[in-house]
Amino acid sequence: MADPVFASASPVLTVAGTRRPELARDLVRLDVEEDLDGLRTLTAHLLAAAPRQRPGTDVVEHLDGDVLDFGRRLQVSVGPPGNERIVFTGTVSALEVHFTEGDVPVVRVFAEDDLMKLRLSQRSVTYLRSSDADVAAAVARRHGLTPQVDAAGPTYAVVQQVNQSDLAFLRERAHRLQAEVWAGDGVLHLATRDRRPGTVVTLTRGSDLIDVAVRADLAEQCTAVHVSGYDATSRSAIEAVAPGSTVEAETTGGRTGPQTLRAVFGVLPGRRVRDVPVVEAEARAVARAEMLRRSRRFVQLRGTTTGTPQLVVGSRVTLARCGRPFDGGGYYVTRLHHSYDLAHGLRTRFAAERPTVNAR
């Protein structure tokens, strides 16, 4: 069967499990955004002329609570028929109406994914003899989510959450391991980058990739990371070092940032000073995470496509026709913004990073 010559990419909106064509009819703009810290958000702009179906019930549509209301589950899919992809599932958290003289009023709907419950919960808790995986599992169960943790790390004698939201606390713990937090389908995920599932996408400049900027920058690079601490039990200093080769396990060729820095400027180590580990295993984990964070950001990409619903945070991207140093695979999507409006249709803006440039 031949592919259709034209297919609409207009978003499909579902509320509480029921498809709502009237929302798609009145939709003038849609934004769905996410980054490595988790919490996917949605903003939908709906024309809200006088009610067509029930005159006299209100001065605008979409605010009577029948369809859109606080706590309603909202799902959005985009893409041509047969190739649709769900880009958002979450809960309505805010409603807004905007009136402008001489123009049709607009209702704005704001929604957040399942991490919203963690964002709204602020507390102080002490965790004893726990790893970061144990902490993440406890937070997930507290909010009725199923924990799925795939991140190795040390066990701490004491972990304290002091007057923080559960989301801010979980993000803080993830950063210490260079792990990532996200939620979906009732599951709370915390995983290191190498264990996060993601789609594989090839983007070609001048075709689906309509705007792109790629930069290789030595500003954050170092040839090693040192972390110091003090072991009160043994009364001895702790000194952990993560070498520049730490990131090489994630590469398949090319020159890493630490390798390039060493070749150009010599040995220039860095130091992590915001943490004071009290056991050696913790110091090693912090040093390794900091080395990975810096090395992964050697090459940074910002791009816009004609609409790529299959792109998600965690996607592995291959570039084509972007210059010899930057072509090829190994890019990891760190930020995503799907947008739809009546002027441009579907657009996908994203940021990605890679630890290497191609060797000349």
Side-chain angles (χ1 to χ4, degrees), residues 84-99:
E84 305 96 335
R85 185 176 183 91
I86 297 172
V87 297
F88 180 83
T89 301
T91 303
V92 174
S93 59
L95 296 167
E96 174 186 310
V97 63
H98 184 206
F99 297 93

Side-chain angles (χ1 to χ4, degrees), residues 36-358:
L36 290 178
D37 283 332
L39 189 65
R40 183 170 293 200
T41 62
L42 172 143
T43 306
H45 302 240
L46 305 167
L47 292 179
R52 300 176 178 88
Q53 303 298 327
R54 298 185 302 279
T57 57
D58 200 348
V59 296
V60 296
E61 283 196 299
H62 307 306
L63 288 180
D64 57 9
D66 284 352
V67 176
L68 297 173
D69 203 356
F70 296 102
R72 295 280 170 85
R73 293 292 286 178
L74 178 61
Q75 185 180 89
V76 178
S77 62
V78 297
N83 197 30
E84 305 96 335
R85 185 176 183 91
I86 297 172
V87 297
F88 180 83
T89 301
T91 303
V92 174
S93 59
L95 296 167
E96 174 186 310
V97 63
H98 184 206
F99 297 93
T100 302
E101 184 179 12
D103 204 352
V104 177
V106 173
V107 166
R108 294 188 180 98
V109 183
F110 302 85
E112 302 176 7
D113 71 12
D114 288 340
L115 289 180
M116 179 176 67
K117 293 184 286 187
L118 279 67
R119 181 179 66 80
L120 296 174
S121 302
Q122 187 167 328
R123 69 187 80 241
S124 295
V125 182
T126 298
Y127 303 87
L128 302 176
R129 299 297 304 169
S130 298
S131 66
D132 289 302
D134 297 329
V135 170
V139 172
R141 287 191 289 267
R142 195 154 57 222
H143 294 278
L145 300 173
T146 301
Q148 188 167 320
V149 181
D150 200 357
T155 296
Y156 307 93
V158 178
V159 176
Q160 290 187 306
Q161 176 182 354
V162 181
N163 197 28
Q164 289 176 291
S165 72
D166 285 342
L167 180 57
F169 174 66
L170 204 56
R171 285 171 170 171
E172 180 183 279
R173 302 310 304 176
H175 290 169
R176 295 174 65 86
L177 302 175
Q178 274 300 288
E180 297 162 14
V181 179
W182 74 99
D185 298 324
V187 178
L188 174 65
H189 300 267
L190 187 148
T192 50
R193 179 169 298 189
D194 59 316
R195 300 173 184 177
R196 180 171 184 168
T199 57
V200 178
V201 180
T202 297
L203 299 173
T204 303
R205 181 188 59 81
S207 178
D208 42 9
L209 188 60
I210 57 178
D211 181 88
V212 61
V214 197
R215 172 190 289 188
D217 193 341
L218 291 173
E220 289 189 75
Q221 301 305 302
C222 59
T223 55
V225 168
H226 293 253
V227 173
S228 300
Y230 184 78
D231 190 329
T233 302
S234 63
R235 298 183 180 181
S236 60
I238 296 171
E239 181 73 16
V241 181
S245 59
T246 302
V247 77
E248 292 177 14
E250 300 182 0
T251 67
T252 57
R255 300 195 318 272
T256 66
Q259 289 171 344
T260 306
L261 183 69
R262 180 186 289 270
V264 176
F265 296 109
V267 177
L268 292 173
R271 181 170 290 276
R272 173 85 177 188
V273 297
R274 295 182 179 179
D275 295 278
V276 182
V278 295
V279 294
E280 187 174 349
E282 181 182 358
R284 290 196 302 267
V286 171
R288 181 178 184 276
E290 178 64 10
M291 190 74 233
L292 287 175
R293 185 191 70 82
R294 291 181 180 228
S295 300
R296 287 168 173 171
R297 290 177 55 81
F298 179 38
V299 180
Q300 298 180 55
L301 159 68
R302 301 186 312 278
T304 303
T305 77
T306 52
T308 313
Q310 63 267 37
L311 269 181
V312 297
V313 172
S315 287
R316 278 69 174 177
V317 171
T318 297
L319 286 189
R321 299 185 63 195
C322 290
R324 182 174 178 179
F326 305 118
D327 275 350
Y331 290 94
Y332 186 90
V333 175
T334 59
R335 182 182 297 272
L336 191 70
H337 178 191
H338 294 299
S339 67
Y340 171 84
D341 60 41
L342 301 181
H344 301 98
L346 184 64
R347 289 286 186 269
T348 300
R349 296 167 183 84
F350 69 101
E353 58 190 27
R354 186 173 81 168
T356 61
V357 293
N358 298 329

